[in-house]
Amino acid sequence: MAAQGCAPRRLLQLLQLLLLLGAGAAGAQWRGEGTSRNLESIFLGRCAEYSSLLLSPAEREKNCTAIWEAFKVVLDKDPCSVLPSDYDLFINLSRHALPRDKSLFWENNHLLVTSFAENGHRLMPLCDVLYGRVGDFLSWCRQKNGSGLDYESCPSSEDCENNPVDSYWKRASIQYSMDSSGVIYVMLNGSEPKGAYPVKGFFADFEIPYLQKDKITRIEIWVMHEIQGPKVESCGEGTVKILEERLEAMGFQYSCVNDYLPVKLLMCVDHSTHPDCALNSAAASTQRDGSSLYTDRGATLTMALLMALASGAQMQLEPPLS
Amino acid sequence: MPDYEFSPASGDRPRSWISKQVLIVLGVCLPVILALAIWVGVLTWRQSSMGATDHVSAIVLGRCLTYTRNMHPELRNQDCKKILNTFTSAFVSKDPCNITKEDYQPLIDLVTQTVPCNKTLFWSRSKELAHQYSGIQKEMFTLEDTLLGYIADNLVWCGDPRTSEVKEEFCPYRNENCSSTATSVFWTVVSQKFAESACGTVYVMLNGSRTTAFSKASTFGSVEVFNLHPDRVHTLHAWVMHDIGGVERDSCLGSSIKELKSIVNQRNISFFCQDDYRPARFVQCVRHPEHPSCSVLM
C-alpha cells in the first residue's frame, strides 16, 4: 500500500511541489503538507459516520471522542519523534473485526482500489477500516519549536523517519495485516515502470511481515495492466516473481492472475470502445437485439450523438494508476 | 559618590517620568491584552466543543469539510460551520411532519455550486448503479456528488418541538399522516435546485427491470423533469439499464419512456434513449463477470 495510506502518491507529490513553491516564499520548514484545517471536526465526523453506517450493531459503541483523544497525543510531540507505537492506544480503541476474505492490499492503483472496493462493501482495503478512514488524505504535526499545530508544513519521510503521518500509516498497516484473515487479495499495477511490487514499500515492509499464517488460507495476487498501457510485468515476472518467491518462502499458498476480470471490467467503464473491452460476438449480438435507439430526430442524429459520446468517453483521462 | 546604581530611586525626575510612561502604557495595554486573552480563550473553548455535538451534526460537518477541502477544493471558501447551522435551523424545534420548502431556503441560498454543463446525471430507481458509475466517471455529478447531496446522503434526521436537538432516531416516516418530513422536503428542495442549475445535455439513468422505467411518482418524474430550464438544457438522454440476469420489464420502446419523451419535448427539450448504455453496463458486469452479456474479448 502506498505511503500516506490511501492518498495517491502523485497527488501528494504535486501537493508537496506546490507547497515547496509556496514555501519558498513563506520559508516553510518541511517538505510535506501542513496540518489539515479542522482536523478534529473531520476526524470526528468520519468516525461518527463510519461507526453508524459501517460497523455492526455490536461494534457501534465506538467512542469517537475517546478515539480522538488517544490520537491527538501525537500532536504534542516533536514532529520527528513520533513512533508507530505512539498510536497504540488509538488503534486499541478504534480497531474492529475485519470480515474474512475481504482484505485487499495494493500498490500503485489507489483510484482503482477505491472504485472496486465499493466503500468496504465488496472488499475492505485499509482506507475502509475505521483506523484507516479517519486519517485518509489528512496530514498533521506539531510545530518543531512550540506547542501548536504546524499548518504550513509537516515532515515527510525525506525530512525524518519518525514523522506523525508515516508512523500512523505504518501502525495502521501493521494492525490491518494482523487482523486480516481468510483469502488475502493483492492488487498490483503491471504497467508501473518501476515494477509492480515495490520491494521497499508499505506492503513489503509493514504488511507482509505481519500477515498471520494461521489465519490466512491463501493469497491471491492480481496484476492489472492499464488499458492502452504497457505490460511491464505480469505474473511470474520481475518484481512479481520476487513477491511470489517471498510468499512461498514464508509458507503461504498463493496464486496469481493477470488482469483479474471483475477489475478489468471496471477499467473498461472508461474505455468502453477500446478493442480490449469489446464484448465477444455472442454477447454483442444479444446487446444489439436487446438494445433500441429511440429518437425524435432520426437515426443519423442518434448515431452521431452516440459516436460523440463514445469518443468523449474515450477521451476521458485514465485514472492515474500510481 | 558616583551614581553607578541602576536600581530605581524615588524622587529622581527622569526615572519617575519613565515609570509613569510605563504605567500609562501598561494601563492601556493590559486590559486589551486581557480582553484578547479572554476572546482567544472563548474561541478555543468553542473550537474544542465544536465536535461535541450529536451524531448527524458531526457527520454533516465532517462530510462538508472533506468535500470542500479534499474533494472539491474550488469550494474551499464555503463555511461549513455556517452550512451546518443553516441546515439544522431548518428543522430543529419544529413539527417534524410540517417542514416547508421555505425552511430550507436559507440553506439553498447559502450554498451555490455550479455543475459543469453536460455533466448532470439524474437517476430514478437506480441509485446504486448511478453512484457507482459517477464514482468512476468522476466528472459526472449525481445530486449526491454535489455538496448538499453529499452531506445528507443516506442520513435520517428530524427535529422535535419539545427540544432543540437534532434527532436521528424515532423520526416519523413520510405517509398520509405526516407528509412533509425534514428529509423528504430537503430532497425535494435540493432536487429542484439541482435540476434548475443543470445545463447542456443532461442524462438520466432509469431501471428497465422495474415495471415502469419512468414514473411520475418518482422525484425525477415529479420534481426534476419539470424544473429543467429549456434555456439551459437542450437535450435529455436516458439510459434504461436492465439488471444482468434479471427481467426486462421496460425499455426505450415502452410506454413510460414515450410519456417521458412527450413531457420533455413539450418543454422544448430534445430526447434520446438508449438501452443498457455500455459504460454503465461494464459497471454492472463487475458483479457478474461470468454472465454471457459480460464476456469480454481478452
Side-chain angles (χ1 to χ4, degrees), chain A residues 2-4 6-18 108 110-111 189 191-194 226 318-322:
Chain A
Q4 309 290 355
C6 298
R9 262 203 198 113
R10 266 201 201 144
L11 177 65
L12 276 175
Q13 279 167 8
L14 178 64
L15 285 170
Q16 282 169 14
L17 180 63
L18 286 172
N108 293 324
H110 162 243
L111 285 173
N189 184 349
S191 294
E192 165 62 46
K194 291 190 237 165
E226 293 168 21
E318 238 177 309
L321 295 178
S322 69

Side-chain angles (χ1 to χ4, degrees), chain B residues 193-248:
Chain B
K193 177 150 196 217
F194 184 59
E196 280 168 353
S197 351
C199 62
T201 299
V202 301
Y203 304 88
V204 59
M205 188 180 288
L206 301 171
N207 188 342
S209 289
R210 304 269 284 228
T211 321
T212 51
F214 170 71
S215 161
K216 289 209 332 223
S218 65
T219 307
F220 174 67
S222 60
V223 175
E224 290 169 330
V225 143
F226 293 103
N227 281 288
L228 296 173
H229 276 193
D231 315 329
R232 302 165 56 81
V233 174
H234 53 71
T235 307
L236 171 68
H237 198 106
W239 305 326
V240 180
M241 304 302 300
H242 301 96
D243 294 341
I244 294 194
V247 185
E248 181 177 311

Side-chain angles (χ1 to χ4, degrees), chain A residues 12-13 21 29 31 66 76 102 109 150 163 173 179 183 194 206 258-260 300 304 311 314:
Chain A
L12 276 175
Q13 279 167 8
L21 292 173
Q29 192 159 24
R31 270 172 263 213
D76 291 325
K102 293 273 178 111
N109 41 30
D150 190 341
N163 67 74
S173 298
D179 289 346
V183 182
K194 291 190 237 165
F206 296 96
N258 285 316
D259 292 311
Y260 178 60
T300 42
S311 57
Q314 217 175 4

